[in-house]
């Protein structure tokens, strides 16, 4: 029988889902996403590796982040690793278990948490499970995957609009993303057990959590309740092993669906918000950004009042933000916005130095630029097409320039993590014109007012504070002219600038 056949679904009882660690302990993070093979090469083969990341932990620590997310490190036939052939082995070119354990140890010594990219939705077609499964309908691994039956519509598209069913012998199997990445069958209890045991293995190695790839695709969208129930089961299991395990889900869809996952994940990436921040920074207009903020935060809060958002700008699947903004000034504006919003921000490697890149995927994952030209540890696995010549940007060039994008990121991240209002506080959007964005962040009895001018000219505005909010009137970050009159904040801000007042 086709495991994706229509099935009666019991509603998920959200009241029975318990987060076993106080959510405030999972706030206060800023993560740095590392595409491992592009970051730093420790052995001269041109490919970034785990030992290379360990060697550059001082850079990561100096950036100010207190968490790193590693792209898939499992054995895989591809460069990207999202088609796994062995969940218990590290891809040889990336390093050894000893390298991994040492990286974890050294990161933890610096109070940096490490989460790894976990790919449970599908395997590679070269995984031993699938090799066995396609041999015969009676093979014990057959039911690890999703196969058609006589009632299956073989012309239906997957949830991402691609061909879903692929021929193998006289049968067809389901693959949401690509024919060579067959989906696992989570109606099979043995599959569920395998995935939980894989997670346990890596937790025992010291990881602090998982970025869950394709988290919403465990079942088709008409079975979202089953997907949520699975993630509840998985979350309960891993927190028995390690109570503070951090789970952040890739739920790449609308805020309506993302919100449903805030009861079964600690965090979810805020894709709608990311898009609107970039559009606002590009256009200088804030109407749509305000609308998405007004819509998402209350919606997520109604699902889970203690939700931890995961704001970001772009990641390894998206055109790089600098290629969209084309301006260091606007880049700083976009960064200043998302680094002052609620949740745990995620920074894509190279974003902090303004690296460029547009699809295909390899070009948005180009080697990290340590040097203007070349030097020790520079990876070379992929030819540089975007970050070269007059478009080149590097740590070497930005490191000691006070006004560089790199030092802007360092300053903003460290400021954020030293401020409980920004790391743990709630948010209230304030009324301003279409060129500006203003919000209050409040934690316990303390508040910060954050105001951004996204326009290309200076602006004068007055902020009317809620009656229950009182500020000291002290500028703690950013620049601008300010005075307080009868509780109102009068401001003059330069183009593409921001100010934070306590």
């Amino acid at each position: 029988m086709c495991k994706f056949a229509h099935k009666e679904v019991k509603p998920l009882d959200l009241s029975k889902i318990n987060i076993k660690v106080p959510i405030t302990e999972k706030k206060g993070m800023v993560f740095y996403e590392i595409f491992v093979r592009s970051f730093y090469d420790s052995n001269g083969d041109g490919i970034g590796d785990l030992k290379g990341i360990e060697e550059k932990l001082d850079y990561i620590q100096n950036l100010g982040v207190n968490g790193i997310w590693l792209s898939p490190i499992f054995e895989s036939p591809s460069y990207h690793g999202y088609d796994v052939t062995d969940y218990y082995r590290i891809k040889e070119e990336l390093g050894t278990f000893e390298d991994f354990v040492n990286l974890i140890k050294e990161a933890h010594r610096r109070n940096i948490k490490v989460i790894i990219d976990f790919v449970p939705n599908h395997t590679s077609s070269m995984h031993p499970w699938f090799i066995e499964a396609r041999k015969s309908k009676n093979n014990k691994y057959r039911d690890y995957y999703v196969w058609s039956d006589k009632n299956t519509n073989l012309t239906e598209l997957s949830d991402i609009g691609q061909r879903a069913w692929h021929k193998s012998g006289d049968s067809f199997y389901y693959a949401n993303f690509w024919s060579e990445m067959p989906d696992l069958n989570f109606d099979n209890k043995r599959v569920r057990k395998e995935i939980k045991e894989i997670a346990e293995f890596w937790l025992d190695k010291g990881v602090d959590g998982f970025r869950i790839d394709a988290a919403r695709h465990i079942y088709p969208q008409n079975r979202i309740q089953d997907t949520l129930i699975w993630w509840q089961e998985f979350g309960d299991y891993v927190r028995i092993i390690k109570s503070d395990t951090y789970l952040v889900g890739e739920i790449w869809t609308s805020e309506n669906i993302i919100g449903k996952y805030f009861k079964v994940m600690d965090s979810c990436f805020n894709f709608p918000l990311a898009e609107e921040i970039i559009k606002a920074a590009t256009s200088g207009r804030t109407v749509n950004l305000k609308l998405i903020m007004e819509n998402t935060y209350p919606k997520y809060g109604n699902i889970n009042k203690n939700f931890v958002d995961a704001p970001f700008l772009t990641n390894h699947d998206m055109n790089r933000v600098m290629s969209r903004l084309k301006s260091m000034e606007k880049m700083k504006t976009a960064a200043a916005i998302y680094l002052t919003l609620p949740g745990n921000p995620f920074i894509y490697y190279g974003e902090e130095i303004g690296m460029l890149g547009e699809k295909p995927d390899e070009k948005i994952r180009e080697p990290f630029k340590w040097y203007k030209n070349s030097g020790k540890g520079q990876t070379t696995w992929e030819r540089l097409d975007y970050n070269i010549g007059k478009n080149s940007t590097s740590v070497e060039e930005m490191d000691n320039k006070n006004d560089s994008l790199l030092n802007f990121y360092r300053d903003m991240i460290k400021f954020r993590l030293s401020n409980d209002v920004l790391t743990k506080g709630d948010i209230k959007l304030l009324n301003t014109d279409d060129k500006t964005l203003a919000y209050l962040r409040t934690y316990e009895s303390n508040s910060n007012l954050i105001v951004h001018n996204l326009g290309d000219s200076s602006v004068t505005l007055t902020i009317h504070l809620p009656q229950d909010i009182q500020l000291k009137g002290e500028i703690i970050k950013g620049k601008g002219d300010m005075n307080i009159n009868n509780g109102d904040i009068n401001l003059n801000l330069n183009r593409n600038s921001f100010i934070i007042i306590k």
Side-chain angles (χ1 to χ4, degrees):
M1 176 182 176
C2 171
K3 292 298 180 183
F4 282 177
H6 289 291
K7 175 182 175 182
E8 183 179 352
V9 177
K10 294 181 180 179
L12 180 61
D13 185 357
L14 296 178
S15 67
K16 294 183 179 179
I17 300 177
N18 297 308
I19 296 173
K20 301 195 171 44
V21 173
I23 202 68
T24 52
E25 294 185 19
K26 294 188 177 181
K27 294 183 178 180
M29 300 296 298
V30 177
F31 282 92
Y32 187 61
E33 179 193 354
I34 298 175
F35 195 74
V36 178
R37 69 188 296 112
S38 291
F39 196 60
Y40 192 83
D41 172 20
S42 71
N43 59 9
D45 66 357
I47 297 172
D49 46 49
L50 297 171
K51 198 169 183 178
I53 296 171
E54 182 190 342
E55 289 183 20
K56 282 300 181 179
L57 282 174
D58 286 346
Y59 170 81
I60 294 168
Q61 186 174 29
N62 191 36
L63 183 59
V65 302
N66 53 7
I68 54 177
W69 152 26
L70 305 181
S71 63
I73 59 174
F74 313 117
E75 188 65 45
S76 163
S78 70
Y79 81 91
H80 53 73
Y82 285 96
D83 49 345
V84 179
T85 53
D86 192 335
Y87 289 98
Y88 293 98
R89 289 184 60 190
I90 292 173
K91 193 175 179 70
E92 185 175 355
E93 63 190 7
L94 302 182
T96 65
F97 273 116
E98 183 180 6
D99 295 336
F100 183 76
V101 170
N102 287 339
L103 170 58
I104 296 284
K105 178 181 177 181
E106 288 303 307
H108 286 172
R109 190 170 65 83
R110 292 170 168 82
N111 294 316
I112 296 172
K113 293 189 176 183
V114 180
I115 64 173
I116 62 173
D117 216 320
F118 191 28
V119 192
N121 177 74
H122 52 265
T123 69
S124 167
S125 61
M126 296 170 64
H127 193 291
W129 294 343
F130 192 70
I131 292 172
E132 287 296 313
R134 68 197 316 173
K135 286 181 177 179
S136 83
K137 294 178 181 179
N138 297 320
N139 191 283
K140 69 176 184 178
Y141 288 102
R142 182 73 167 190
D143 204 33
Y144 270 44
Y145 296 88
V146 180
W147 298 88
S148 64
D149 61 22
K150 64 181 181 180
N151 298 315
T152 300
N153 176 10
L154 297 175
T155 65
E156 73 172 321
L157 299 179
S158 74
D159 284 334
I160 62 171
Q162 298 186 161
R163 180 184 172 191
W165 295 98
H166 305 272
K167 189 172 179 59
S168 177
D170 60 354
S171 302
F172 289 81
Y173 63 90
Y174 186 90
N176 186 64
F177 292 99
W178 178 42
S179 62
E180 304 314 304
M181 296 197 302
D183 281 35
L184 287 166
N185 174 19
F186 280 82
D187 280 335
N188 184 341
K189 291 181 179 180
R190 290 170 61 202
V191 168
R192 291 182 178 233
K193 185 173 183 289
E194 296 269 18
I195 295 301
K196 289 185 287 190
E197 288 177 351
I198 292 165
E200 181 175 2
F201 175 84
W202 290 100
L203 289 170
D204 287 344
K205 290 288 183 290
V207 303
D208 298 290
F210 305 97
R211 177 265 185 184
I212 308 292
D213 182 68
R216 76 183 182 98
H217 295 292
I218 296 300
Y219 292 97
Q221 297 312 291
N222 63 355
R223 291 184 61 183
I224 187 172
Q225 295 290 346
D226 284 337
T227 301
L228 292 171
I229 289 168
W230 154 248
W231 288 124
Q232 175 188 346
E233 178 184 328
F234 179 84
D236 288 345
Y237 183 87
V238 296
R239 291 189 185 101
I240 290 171
I241 300 161
K242 183 179 174 65
S243 64
D244 61 347
T245 299
Y246 182 65
L247 302 180
V248 54
E250 182 201 25
I251 320 293
W252 196 340
T253 183
S254 70
E255 64 272 17
N256 294 329
I257 296 176
I258 292 173
K260 297 177 186 296
Y261 286 81
F262 272 110
K263 271 291 187 179
V264 294
M265 297 282 174
D266 295 303
S267 295
C268 299
F269 291 108
N270 199 328
F271 285 92
L273 179 66
E275 179 64 17
E276 293 305 331
I277 291 174
I278 295 172
K279 286 181 178 178
T282 302
S283 67
R285 300 288 181 178
T286 60
V287 170
N288 290 334
L289 175 55
K290 290 174 183 176
L291 287 174
I292 204 73
M293 291 172 69
E294 289 174 342
N295 188 33
T296 55
Y297 292 131
K299 187 169 292 181
Y300 296 168
N302 287 336
I303 296 291
N304 180 355
K305 67 179 181 179
N306 292 315
F307 79 95
V308 183
D309 202 16
F312 71 107
L313 293 178
T314 60
N315 63 25
H316 62 282
D317 288 323
M318 307 162 77
N319 289 342
R320 281 192 175 271
V321 60
M322 183 57 84
S323 286
R324 296 186 61 182
L325 295 179
K326 307 182 190 307
S327 160
M328 285 289 180
E329 189 177 55
K330 292 181 181 296
M331 184 69 235
K332 290 180 180 179
T333 295
I337 293 173
Y338 93 100
L339 291 175
T340 55
L341 292 178
N344 293 336
F346 281 73
I347 299 164
Y348 185 39
Y349 85 96
E351 177 188 311
E352 77 275 22
I353 57 172
M355 283 181 62
L356 301 167
E358 297 180 3
K359 295 252 185 182
D361 287 346
E362 291 83 353
K363 298 291 107 183
I364 53 181
R365 304 165 183 173
E366 284 189 355
F368 185 65
K369 289 283 290 185
W370 293 102
Y371 314 98
K372 182 177 181 179
N373 296 310
S374 63
K376 181 179 181 296
Q378 183 66 56
T379 64
T380 56
W381 73 274
E382 176 70 11
R383 186 184 71 185
L384 292 172
D385 285 341
Y386 282 90
N387 299 285
I388 194 170
K390 64 182 179 65
N391 295 322
S392 176
T393 181
S394 69
V395 173
E396 180 181 55
E397 294 167 277
M398 290 190 174
D399 198 19
N400 296 315
K401 291 183 179 179
N402 291 335
D403 63 347
S404 70
L405 181 63
L406 174 58
N407 282 311
F408 179 83
Y409 266 81
R410 286 169 172 164
D411 183 56
M412 286 298 298
I413 294 165
K414 291 169 186 175
F415 173 74
R416 177 187 177 88
L417 291 180
S418 68
N419 186 335
D420 283 348
V421 173
L422 294 184
T423 57
K424 300 177 183 178
D426 58 18
I427 185 169
K428 179 177 178 60
L429 196 63
L430 302 176
N431 291 326
T432 61
D433 65 24
D434 185 25
K435 293 182 180 179
T436 56
L437 175 68
Y439 41 91
L440 279 167
R441 300 292 314 281
T442 301
Y443 180 66
E444 295 180 342
S445 60
N446 298 312
S447 295
N448 288 175
L449 171 66
I450 300 106
V451 185
H452 305 268
N453 175 17
L454 283 73
D456 290 329
S457 58
S458 62
V459 64
T460 299
L461 72 160
T462 297
I463 303 292
H464 303 289
L465 296 177
Q467 291 184 349
D468 61 337
I469 298 294
Q470 290 187 348
L471 300 176
K472 294 180 180 179
E474 178 184 343
I475 298 172
I476 56 175
K477 184 60 65 178
K479 295 180 181 179
D481 297 322
M482 178 200 71
N483 67 72
I484 301 178
N485 183 17
N486 294 325
D488 290 339
I489 310 291
N490 300 310
L491 295 170
N492 186 276
L493 299 178
N494 290 333
R495 55 177 283 167
N496 287 289
S497 67
F498 74 100
I499 193 169
I500 302 178
I501 304 165
K502 74 173 184 179

